[in-house]
Structure formats: structure tokens, C-alpha cells
Amino acid sequence: MQMRHDPVYPSRRSPILADNVVATSQPLAAQAGLTILQQGGNAVDAAIATAAALTVVEPSGNGLGSDAFCILWDGNELHGLNASGRSPSAWGPDRFPDGMPYLGVDSVTVPGAVSAWVSLSERFGNLDLPTTLAPAVRYAEDGFIVSPVIAKLWTNAAETLADQPGFSETFLPGGRPPRAGERFRNPGAAETLREIGRTGGEAFYKGPVAEKIVDFIQANGGAMTLEDMSSHQPDWCGTINTGFDDVDLHEIPPNGQGIAALMALGILEHTEIRDHGPDDVIAVHLQIEAIKLAYRDLHAFVADRDNMTEVNEEALLAPEYLKSRAALIDTTAAIDHGVGAPQRGGTVLLNTGDSSGMMVSFIQSNYAGFGSGVVVPGIGVSLQNRGAGFNTVPGHPNCVAGNKRPMHTIIPGFAMKNGQPLMAFGMMGGPIQAQGHVQLLLRTQLWDQDVQTAACAPRWRMIDGLDVACEPTMPRATLDGLAALGHKITVESPDNAFGFGGAQLVHRLPGGGYVAGSDPRKDGQAAGF
């Protein structure tokens, strides 16, 4: 990696270079991971500590009721973990005559993030779970000072979620969201985190925490049962991948949208993109068109892996199929393929690397900011709204049913080169994640940008049909050129920067150690020693 740092992008951040690194969207959470590394933990322990801390210090994107996915290199082998939860057994299309709700108890599936922490700790951790959760417990009990971007998202969420069961009691102290610079405490979450550590997660899925979650959901008209909670298990699912030149991009298999990133990259393999620079009109145009084609198939065929019986992942990633899709791209005009990106949401992403060579890409999310808006009183558990990822179309592989995983937007990314780990990375933000993976991979691998430059670079986001959102930092010539090709360009103001996600990247250096970058659109940082 040449670590080309391009000064044209508006950021004063430099990449971090160290033997042990953590990159995430909130500085206190990054420091939690570093603390665990300094106590003898490995990259997995640091990831767990960072993820747990994020549930406390960035509640606008995740919580104890989140789902999670992970890709990790253990020093010898790549592993993939799917810790997304399934729907309540009583769910079916008849329960939702008006379509899937976006908020409230009937949008909640079984939360899986805690099971990810437990499984990772048991299989790969050096330290015990109470030790890795200790920084999060401290932030919850003693409080933390709210950071600016999170404060803004908190305020935005309060406008729509104040009336959801339990939300105001936990997240609107004194009747309003905390402002940047104010201290927020969540003692209920502190006690729940202690119980998770003490019982190895048993309390959350089979014990008193599970009982409180189920009782509160049922009291508000939901269908979740203790059996739904206790039967949850994460899956060591491996990864799926496709190549671009000598780099392989790895993603978690469906039910996530990572396959769309693989399809788009596989399509771009058969285009002239190598002849253009990262912000050239044709380079951006080709990426947009490839993403459109990938998302069309994503929405038509992708669901819980067990339900993809008509068209499976092997068919969607077949080289000849991707080559045929590339042939549909017109380099002289944008085409409306009749697709749309997933809805916006709230997610957190983290990447870690340690001096032994272990690397982790981990993502967890409540989906829509604070998720369903439902917060179980007294225990600090905000519940995701992943049920909104289902549809009610009869016969569709992603049609709602009991004990089924919905289609997910959150995806960790991992790049390999010649069978060796290269980069743990990703991007939060529902509609941009697969699109962002493609943009980050091409910037770092095809165009040799260092990870911080890639994180700072201007982004685009396919919305629907010919509509494309772009950041105002994109060169004017590129914006004008895309419009001339027929793209309907909207330049979103900096106030809408959340729609362009938050990237975190950890890139392995040939001589050992890492270079890490963190997105300036978020409050976070890359840190190391």
C-alpha cells in the first residue's frame, strides 16, 4: 500500500499507525477497546469492549437490544458470525395487514448483539467477559459526556420517539434529550451489563433480563415470548467473496446486503473503471450503475439464507452472470433499473487489530437510530426494529414469517490479498453500506489512497431510479458530468451528512502493524499504541 494522502479532500486528519489499533465512531468507545488491549486482551476482546461501550455512549445508533455481525481473522483463518435475531414465532403476514411497522413492539425481533459478544469471547477471547464489559459498565454507571454528532441525532430521534413505550423514561432525562457537553447516566444498562458478564449472557436470553424484555413487549401488545428469546443462537456462517484484480472482498452471507457489494464489485471487474481516476465522471458513473443492478437483485431475491430457494447466492455471484450484468451498463447514459436503496438507519461500526495479527470487523445496530423506540424500563435495553426489514408480499423470500431472520442492512467488510488479511473495514448507514464498501475498497486498492483519505473522500449514494445524492465536496466537474449522463443529482448539505455514513478502516502494513482511519462525519477516532 502506497498510502497516498490526497490533500484535495477537506480533512486535517492523518491516519493512525500503530501495532494495536481501534477505529470506531465514538472516542470513548475507542478508548475502551485500547484499555482492554493494554490489559492483555486481543483484538476480539477489544472489539467486544468497544461494542459494549458503544451501546452506552452512542445510543442513537445501537443498544443492548441490537443485532450484530462480525468477520475476523484469527491469525490463521477467516471467520464470519451472524448474530442477527429471528422473528417471534407468532408472526406472519396476517398480523400485518397494513405492512410491516417501522416502530413499536411489533417491529422488534430477537436481539442478537449480546450473543455475538458471548460467542466471540468464548471462542477467541483472552480475557473474561466481565473484564471486557467493565469500561461500558463504568460509562453507564458514572455517566459520560455526550458528544456533538450523537447529541444532534438524539435530538432528532426525540421528536418522533418520545411517545414510544419506555423511551422518555430512559433517554429524555428532565423531559428532553441531553445536549452536547452534558453528562448522561444509564444505571439500568450498567446493571444489565454486569448480569451479562456474570452469567455469560444467560441472564439476557433465559434469565431475569429476558423476562423483563418479554413482559414489557407483551404488556404493550407484542408477540415475543421467552421461548423466542431462549431459542436464539448466533451462527458461525463463514463468508462469501468475490475478487477485483488481486484483492478479494469478503462479506457475511445473506440475510445481509453484503452480497450487493460483491455483485457490484464483480460487475465492475468487467468494465473500464481501471482507466479512470477516483473522482472522474465515468468512474463514479460505472459504480452507480453497478450498484443499481446489484440492488435490483438484492430486493428481488435476498432474504434469510434458508429461504433463498429460487435464486441463491452462488447464482447471484456466478462470474458469467456478473459479466452479463456488466454488459447492461451504458457508459454514455444513466439507466433507470427500477430499484431503491434500503431505508436510512442508525448503526455503529468498529475495527480492531492487535500485534499478533488478529483483525476484527464488527458491526451492530438498532436499525432506525434508537430502533423501535421501545426501551425496557429499569434495565436500559433499547430494542431494534429489524422486523421492518421484512415485507408482506406472498411468495417473496423475505416475506414475514415466524422464527425467520429479516433482510439486514448492516454488513462488516474484510479484504484479503493472496490468502492473507489486508483490511478490516466498513461503513455504517443503512442505504450506503454496500455502496460504501465498493467506494472504500476501490479507493484504497485500485487508487492507492490511504485509509484516512478514503474515509474523508466525497461520497455518492444511489437513492432510487435515477436519483443520486452527492456530497458538496465532490468536484463540480464530476457533478456536472453525472448530470449530463442523465443522473438526477441532489447535492446534500453538510447538515445531511449522516446519510453518507461513517467509515472505519484498519489496513495491515506489509512489515507488520496497521494504518487506521476514522470518518470525520462522526464523532469517532482511530487510536492505537
Side-chain angles (χ1 to χ4, degrees):
M1 185 182 187
Q2 298 180 25
M3 296 209 322
R4 176 181 151 201
H5 194 77
D6 195 330
V8 303
Y9 303 136
S11 172
R12 299 182 64 85
R13 290 190 181 188
S14 294
I16 298 296
L17 294 103
D19 291 319
N20 299 274
V21 293
V22 179
T24 195
S25 52
Q26 215 283 350
L28 299 178
Q31 295 301 319
L34 283 190
T35 297
I36 293 303
L37 284 166
Q38 290 165 342
Q39 292 177 3
N42 60 23
V44 165
D45 296 312
I48 296 167
T50 305
L54 284 165
T55 68
V56 179
V57 301
E58 192 169 349
S60 56
N62 73 133
L64 288 167
S66 286
D67 278 350
F69 297 85
C70 179
I71 301 176
L72 72 97
W73 174 261
D74 68 2
N76 297 294
E77 186 180 353
L78 200 65
H79 304 269
L81 179 66
N82 182 335
S84 61
R86 292 174 172 82
S87 57
S89 57
W91 279 15
D94 292 345
R95 186 177 178 87
F96 307 103
D98 299 321
M100 298 306 300
Y102 196 61
L103 299 174
V105 293
D106 259 351
S107 68
V108 180
T109 55
V110 175
V114 170
S115 72
W117 307 346
V118 173
S119 296
L120 288 166
S121 180
E122 290 177 346
R123 186 169 179 182
F124 295 108
N126 281 349
L127 305 179
D128 61 34
L129 201 56
T131 300
T132 55
L133 299 184
V137 171
R138 186 175 66 252
Y139 289 140
E141 189 160 68
D142 298 341
F144 67 96
I145 299 172
V146 178
S147 51
V149 172
I150 292 166
K152 180 179 177 64
L153 293 171
W154 208 321
T155 298
N156 293 345
E159 297 175 2
T160 56
L161 300 180
D163 294 333
Q164 289 297 330
F167 184 84
S168 295
E169 179 179 333
T170 299
F171 288 119
L172 301 181
R176 64 168 176 82
R179 300 184 179 100
E182 293 183 339
R183 185 174 297 274
F184 176 78
R185 294 178 175 86
N186 194 341
E191 185 56 32
T192 298
L193 284 160
R194 285 195 190 94
E195 281 291 288
I196 291 167
R198 185 181 64 82
T199 66
E202 285 285 306
F204 193 88
Y205 290 103
K206 299 179 180 179
V209 177
E211 292 171 0
K212 290 175 182 177
I213 292 171
V214 168
D215 287 348
F216 192 66
I217 288 176
Q218 292 185 354
N220 287 278
M224 188 84 69
T225 66
L226 276 175
E227 185 177 356
D228 293 328
M229 289 288 292
S230 64
S231 61
H232 169 77
Q233 291 292 331
D235 296 330
W236 290 101
C237 58
T239 63
I240 53 177
N241 67 90
T242 196
F244 185 92
D245 292 342
D246 58 353
V247 173
D248 290 307
L249 173 61
H250 287 256
E251 302 278 354
I252 294 290
N255 55 315
Q257 67 166 318
I259 193 171
L262 299 181
M263 293 179 66
L265 196 66
I267 289 169
L268 289 167
E269 175 82 9
H270 302 287
T271 69
E272 62 184 56
I273 193 167
R274 298 170 188 82
D275 299 332
H276 302 276
D279 299 302
D280 290 353
V281 173
I282 295 300
V284 178
H285 170 71
L286 290 171
Q287 291 173 77
I288 293 170
E289 295 300 293
I291 282 290
K292 286 181 186 178
L293 290 163
Y295 270 81
R296 183 173 187 175
D297 286 350
L298 177 75
H299 291 301
F301 304 117
V302 174
D304 192 342
R305 201 176 193 181
D306 294 339
N307 295 93
M308 291 176 61
T309 54
E310 179 183 349
V311 177
N312 61 21
E313 63 206 45
E314 289 83 5
L316 292 172
L317 295 176
E320 285 304 312
Y321 177 67
L322 296 178
K323 185 176 181 180
S324 71
R325 301 296 274 169
L328 299 177
I329 296 177
D330 186 342
T331 58
T332 66
I335 299 173
D336 182 358
H337 293 289
V339 299
Q343 292 176 287
R344 295 193 185 193
T347 302
V348 296
L349 175 81
L350 65 99
N351 302 117
T352 63
D354 68 28
S355 57
S356 76
M358 179 180 280
M359 299 172 66
V360 178
S361 179
F362 186 96
I363 193 164
Q364 67 186 17
S365 170
N366 268 357
Y367 195 24
F370 285 85
S372 63
V374 178
V375 185
V376 185
I379 62 172
V381 177
S382 60
L383 295 165
Q384 39 84 330
N385 62 325
R386 282 294 167 184
F390 286 120
N391 64 47
T392 56
V393 179
H396 191 285
N398 193 40
C399 182
V400 63
N403 297 311
K404 181 178 180 179
R405 284 173 164 147
M407 202 279 280
H408 257 264
T409 55
I410 61 172
I411 50 173
F414 206 102
M416 300 281 289
K417 186 174 183 178
N418 300 321
Q420 294 300 309
L422 182 66
M423 186 168 67
F425 75 106
M427 187 183 297
M428 58 72 62
I432 200 171
Q433 289 190 41
Q435 310 182 48
H437 281 208
V438 172
Q439 293 176 59
L440 292 174
L441 189 81
L442 291 175
R443 285 188 177 278
T444 57
Q445 306 309 316
L446 174 60
W447 293 305
D448 290 324
Q449 292 182 345
D450 74 69
V451 292
Q452 189 59 59
T453 297
C456 295
R459 296 192 189 125
W460 51 268
R461 185 181 76 251
M462 184 274 292
I463 302 173
D464 191 15
L466 296 175
D467 293 331
V468 179
C470 295
E471 290 190 294
T473 50
M474 186 169 284
R476 171 49 59 184
T478 305
L479 296 172
D480 292 344
L482 291 172
L485 289 171
H487 298 283
K488 296 180 180 178
I489 301 298
T490 300
V491 177
E492 292 194 354
S493 73
D495 290 339
N496 293 328
F498 309 118
F500 294 102
Q504 314 294 331
L505 308 95
V506 168
H507 199 292
R508 193 169 188 172
L509 295 170
Y514 306 94
V515 54
S518 184
D519 204 308
R521 298 164 186 82
K522 307 293 285 183
D523 288 323
Q525 66 174 183
F529 65 91

